[in-house]
Amino acid sequence: MISTALPTSYGLHVYPLARAWKMGASKWTVDKRIQFANDIDRNLMAVDGSTNGKKSDKGLDEWMPPNAAYGCEYAARYLTVARDYALSVTTGDLHSASLACGLDPAITKEK
């Protein structure tokens, strides 16, 4: 018998909920937190359970997609979510984004 079931997909938060809480979401209204958690246009993407588990609540400084060719697009999406929701990013996030996009990582060093 051939299964016609689709593989299970999970909602991966590009900018993780726990990190968002630490980086400013704790001051948001309940409505804004719900909007953020369910933002399918910017912050949610369907992935397999293994990828979702490996990423967990990690930011760019700790996790990048296994497909390096998608790294720059993913980093740009992460930074866009951070900008749109006025969430902080770490120097490590910026460094990882620079590397993923082929930029000089020295531009992210603190002065």
Side-chain angles (χ1 to χ4, degrees):
M1 176 177 203
I2 298 174
S3 172
T4 57
L6 296 174
T8 302
S9 64
Y10 296 84
L12 178 142
H13 287 94
V14 175
Y15 197 109
L17 299 178
R19 184 174 272 218
W21 185 261
K22 294 175 193 168
M23 298 295 209
S26 63
K27 298 176 182 140
W28 294 348
T29 64
V30 171
D31 287 343
K32 186 169 182 178
R33 291 196 306 259
I34 291 170
Q35 175 190 355
F36 177 78
N38 295 301
D39 187 345
I40 60 172
D41 295 325
R42 293 173 287 189
N43 198 34
L44 271 174
M45 52 192 305
V47 297
D48 62 83
S50 174
T51 300
N52 194 39
K54 288 175 185 169
K55 182 195 179 288
S56 185
D57 288 331
K58 298 176 180 120
L60 296 180
D61 56 346
E62 299 177 294
W63 187 88
M64 290 294 285
N67 179 353
Y70 181 64
C72 184
E73 183 178 339
Y74 178 83
R77 189 168 175 177
Y78 180 96
L79 295 174
T80 297
V81 171
R83 181 203 63 208
D84 290 353
Y85 284 95
L87 293 165
S88 298
V89 294
T90 67
T91 302
D93 290 335
L94 295 175
H95 181 79
S96 295
S98 296
L99 290 174
C101 295
L103 302 173
D104 180 359
I107 64 172
T108 63
K109 288 189 178 169
E110 293 185 45
K111 297 179 183 182

